[in-house]
Amino acid sequence: MKSTALTFLIVFIAFATKAATLKTEITTNLFEGVKLVKSVVLQNDTKNDSVMSIVTYGLRKKAVFGLVPVNVYVLQFLAAKPEKLVKTEDGFLASLKEAGPIQLHLTFLRNLPGEKITESFKDGLGANKIKTKDFSPELTQVLSEISSISEFKEGEDFSITFSWKSDQAVVYIAKTPSDIKTITGQKDFADQLLSIWFGKTSDSKLKELKKTLIQ
C-alpha cells in the first residue's frame, strides 16, 4: 500500500513539472483597435524563463467568395532572439528555431468557429504540399485542439508558442492564460505548422500578411 502511494506521488510530481505559463505584457498602442503586446514570458519545466518581445504585426484578411476581403485577425509575432531572424521570403521560416522561442499571438476581429480556423490552416498546409494523410500525430493533435474550440469570439486572444531543444519541438496552444495545451514532437511538425504563415501562402491576402511579418 505504501509503495502504491509513493508511486502516485512520484507520477503527480512528474506531471506537475510539465506545466507551462505565459505572462503577457500589453501596451496601450492600438492596431485595428487591438492593443499591442510588448512581451511574453514563457515559463516551463526547464526553470529558464524565456522572454519574447514583439517583432512585428499585421492584419489577416480573407476574400469571401472572391469578393471584398474581410478582416479575420490581427497577428502579432514575438521572438526571444529577433536578431537571429533571416528577413527574406525564403530564409525566414528556417531561421525561426534560432530566434526562438517564438509566439504567434492572434486577436480575432470577428466570430469564427474553431473548425473554420482549422480548415483555413489545412489550406495553408496544403499550399506547402503537406497532405492530410501525411499529418504527424502531433500536427493532427494541434489541429484537433483548435477545431474543438466551439467559437473564437470577436476581441478574443489566442496564441501558439513554439520552443525547440535539439530535434524536439514543443508547441503551447493557449486560448486563455490558464488554459494551455502542450504538444511535444519532432521538429518537423512545428516547421509544418509555421509554414502556414511563413512558407508558401494559400492566398493573396495571406501573402500580404507574410510580407508584412518578415520585413
Side-chain angles (χ1 to χ4, degrees):
M1 187 70 178
K2 290 182 179 179
S3 176
T4 302
L6 180 59
T7 301
F8 175 79
L9 179 61
I10 292 171
V11 171
F12 176 78
I13 291 173
F15 176 79
T17 60
K18 293 182 180 180
T21 61
L22 293 163
K23 296 184 178 180
T24 304
E25 183 178 358
I26 305 291
T27 72
T28 57
N29 299 326
L30 296 175
F31 174 71
E32 296 292 332
V34 173
K35 287 185 178 180
L36 296 176
V37 175
K38 180 179 180 181
S39 63
V40 175
V41 179
L42 169 64
Q43 298 175 315
N44 55 27
D45 58 330
T46 65
K47 297 182 180 180
N48 294 319
D49 294 354
S50 298
V51 181
M52 297 168 283
S53 301
I54 188 72
V55 178
T56 187
Y57 51 86
L59 177 63
R60 170 56 165 145
K61 294 184 177 184
K62 180 83 172 179
V64 180
F65 302 116
L67 301 176
V68 179
V70 298
N71 296 342
V72 182
Y73 56 76
V74 169
L75 190 151
Q76 301 180 62
F77 172 69
L78 300 96
K81 297 182 282 291
E83 70 278 2
K84 299 287 187 179
L85 293 167
V86 177
K87 295 186 177 182
T88 64
E89 186 170 346
D90 296 327
F92 200 87
L93 178 61
S95 69
L96 293 175
K97 178 182 176 182
E98 293 301 317
I102 64 165
Q103 183 180 100
L104 302 179
H105 187 102
L106 286 68
T107 303
F108 287 89
L109 301 178
R110 60 198 312 106
N111 297 341
L112 285 167
E115 288 183 357
K116 195 73 174 177
I117 298 299
T118 303
E119 288 174 11
S120 176
F121 286 2
K122 286 181 178 178
D123 288 343
L125 292 164
N128 290 276
K129 299 182 178 180
I130 305 165
K131 299 178 181 179
T132 304
K133 66 181 181 65
D134 298 324
F135 287 177
S136 66
E138 295 82 11
L139 183 57
T140 299
Q141 186 180 353
V142 170
L143 296 175
S144 178
E145 291 288 349
I146 297 170
S147 185
S148 69
I149 297 171
S150 59
E151 187 175 52
F152 292 98
K153 296 186 181 300
E154 181 179 350
E156 280 190 340
D157 294 326
F158 173 75
S159 68
I160 310 176
T161 305
F162 301 78
S163 67
W164 292 266
K165 184 177 181 180
S166 187
D167 290 330
Q168 292 285 308
V170 184
V171 173
Y172 305 93
I173 302 172
K175 187 181 179 187
T176 69
S178 60
D179 183 10
I180 302 173
K181 306 294 184 182
T182 303
I183 301 169
T184 303
Q186 293 297 309
K187 171 182 173 293
D188 289 351
F189 96 93
D191 293 343
Q192 291 172 348
L193 189 58
L194 286 162
S195 72
I196 295 170
W197 297 274
F198 303 114
K200 295 183 185 294
T201 51
S202 57
D203 60 69
S204 61
K205 295 304 175 184
L206 189 55
K207 187 174 183 179
E208 289 176 8
L209 175 59
K210 175 184 174 181
K211 185 176 180 180
T212 299
L213 294 175
I214 69 175
Q215 287 180 348

